[in-house]
Amino acid sequence: MAKKQKTEKVEVPVVETPVVETPKPKKVEPKKPTWEIKDRNYYLTGNQSPLTYSVRSSNIYYFDEEKGYERELKYTNNQKTPFVDEFPKESQARLEHIIFRNGHLSVPRNKQTLQKLLSLYHPHNGKVFLEHNPIKTAANEIDLLEFEIAALNAAQNLDIDIAEAVMRVEMGSKVSGMSSKELKRDLLLYAKRNPRLFLELVNDDNVVLRNFGIRATEMGILKLSSDQRTFSWGSNDRKLMNVPFDEHPYSALAAWFKTDEGMEIYSNIEKRLN
């Protein structure tokens, strides 16, 4: 008999996979904005320009996030800080007035205490007055100009029905008696005057549907009851829908036009209007 050959066992070396620890991202603390020493200008909000206007220079407080409490502020002509708790105990603070003239206050670079009080700590900053920031002002003006361009382009190419719907929001029933040229002119002026609102109205489906319902009512196709609670057919007084309580009738009608029943009525009215 043939001898059986012994099969040698081959050991497979076990390779250990090294564990690589994912480094934890270092927490980056946000850098505090650096304070620039320069001349600064402040203006009253709302384009106000009274002959003189006094801003509070005492009895005002600033909540210090780091310290966790409110700190009293005063503007004086003999202290290096507006914080009362930093005044030397032995000195007597001499209060100074903060006066805007013709809506403007110019503070030179050497008046650092006043600048920091107005720009960083005063509770009326952003409410009663603002620091003039030419970069921010330019950015806001660019945004406004871009909105204006977009609104005028949209108005130029707007369908007449949508144009009428948008202008009805602004002018009401007067739109029905306007010629197409008058409508186009007023539409462009409205887009230039209120570009943000104009673009919102153009993209609002309910504006078009409300106008559709108003036109149908003005032409006698639909009838709105005297209590403004019910819409019905103008020809036979058959009730179509009830207006929910506390809703504007044409807003409710616009929403109803989106339902299955309302879409059928909408198609019927559309044929009659065209």
Side-chain angles (χ1 to χ4, degrees):
M1 292 177 64
K3 291 183 179 179
K4 292 182 179 179
Q5 293 181 349
K6 291 183 179 180
T7 305
E8 294 183 359
K9 292 182 180 180
V10 179
E11 293 184 0
V12 179
V14 178
V15 180
E16 293 185 1
T17 305
V19 178
V20 180
E21 291 186 3
T22 305
K24 294 181 180 179
K26 293 181 180 180
K27 187 177 179 181
V28 179
E29 294 291 336
K31 291 183 178 180
K32 292 184 179 180
T34 56
W35 176 260
E36 182 183 355
I37 296 178
K38 64 178 183 179
D39 296 336
R40 296 176 188 269
N41 290 280
Y42 302 87
Y43 294 88
L44 296 178
T45 57
N47 293 322
Q48 299 179 75
S49 55
L51 192 60
T52 60
Y53 185 93
S54 295
V55 172
R56 280 189 183 182
S57 58
S58 63
N59 295 321
I60 49 178
Y61 296 85
Y62 168 76
F63 182 76
D64 193 319
E65 294 283 352
E66 293 182 359
K67 295 183 182 295
Y69 57 83
E70 281 189 326
R71 304 173 66 188
E72 187 180 358
L73 299 164
K74 277 185 181 179
Y75 175 53
T76 64
N77 60 13
N78 65 336
Q79 301 294 330
K80 296 179 180 179
T81 174
F83 290 107
V84 174
D85 57 16
E86 294 179 355
F87 291 176
K89 292 181 180 180
E90 63 277 4
S91 67
Q92 186 175 0
R94 294 196 296 270
L95 193 65
E96 187 84 358
H97 295 294
I98 305 173
I99 301 174
F100 283 70
R101 301 187 187 281
N102 297 313
H104 170 238
L105 173 62
S106 178
V107 183
R109 66 196 305 273
N110 62 312
K111 297 278 189 180
Q112 287 298 295
T113 303
L114 179 56
Q115 285 191 2
K116 289 182 178 180
L117 172 63
L118 293 174
S119 296
L120 302 178
Y121 310 124
H122 204 290
H124 293 165
N125 183 15
K127 299 173 184 177
V128 175
F129 64 87
L130 287 168
E131 180 184 350
H132 175 59
N133 186 333
I135 297 175
K136 188 176 181 180
T137 301
N140 290 339
E141 289 176 350
I142 289 172
D143 286 344
L144 182 60
L145 287 170
E146 288 176 346
F147 268 107
E148 189 175 310
I149 291 168
L152 288 170
N153 286 336
Q156 188 67 33
N157 301 307
L158 207 60
D159 181 81
I160 190 67
D161 290 334
I162 301 177
E164 182 182 318
V166 170
M167 291 310 299
R168 193 178 291 277
V169 174
E170 173 74 3
M171 305 178 69
S173 59
K174 183 182 176 182
V175 171
S176 301
M178 295 175 68
S179 67
S180 59
K181 291 291 185 183
E182 289 174 324
L183 183 62
K184 189 77 171 182
R185 176 202 62 200
D186 287 359
L187 186 74
L188 289 167
L189 291 173
Y190 184 50
K192 182 177 176 63
R193 189 169 60 250
N194 296 301
R196 293 176 188 269
L197 178 58
F198 177 83
L199 291 172
E200 287 178 8
L201 292 174
V202 167
N203 295 310
D204 185 353
D205 292 337
N206 285 339
V207 170
V208 177
L209 291 174
R210 279 200 299 269
N211 184 60
F212 182 86
I214 292 170
R215 286 177 60 205
T217 305
E218 287 178 347
M219 295 181 68
I221 299 172
L222 294 181
K223 183 187 293 183
L224 177 61
S225 61
S226 58
D227 62 359
Q228 298 197 333
R229 294 293 94 196
T230 306
F231 279 100
S232 57
W233 283 116
S235 55
N236 55 20
D237 289 331
R238 183 168 67 86
K239 187 173 73 172
L240 293 174
M241 67 160 290
N242 290 321
V243 178
F245 183 69
D246 273 353
E247 279 196 34
H248 189 280
Y250 289 105
S251 295
L253 182 63
W256 183 73
F257 279 143
K258 295 179 180 179
T259 65
D260 292 340
E261 182 184 3
M263 288 176 69
E264 292 181 11
I265 302 300
Y266 179 91
S267 299
N268 190 318
I269 297 172
E270 189 175 31
K271 292 174 184 176
R272 301 189 191 192
L273 287 175
N274 296 333

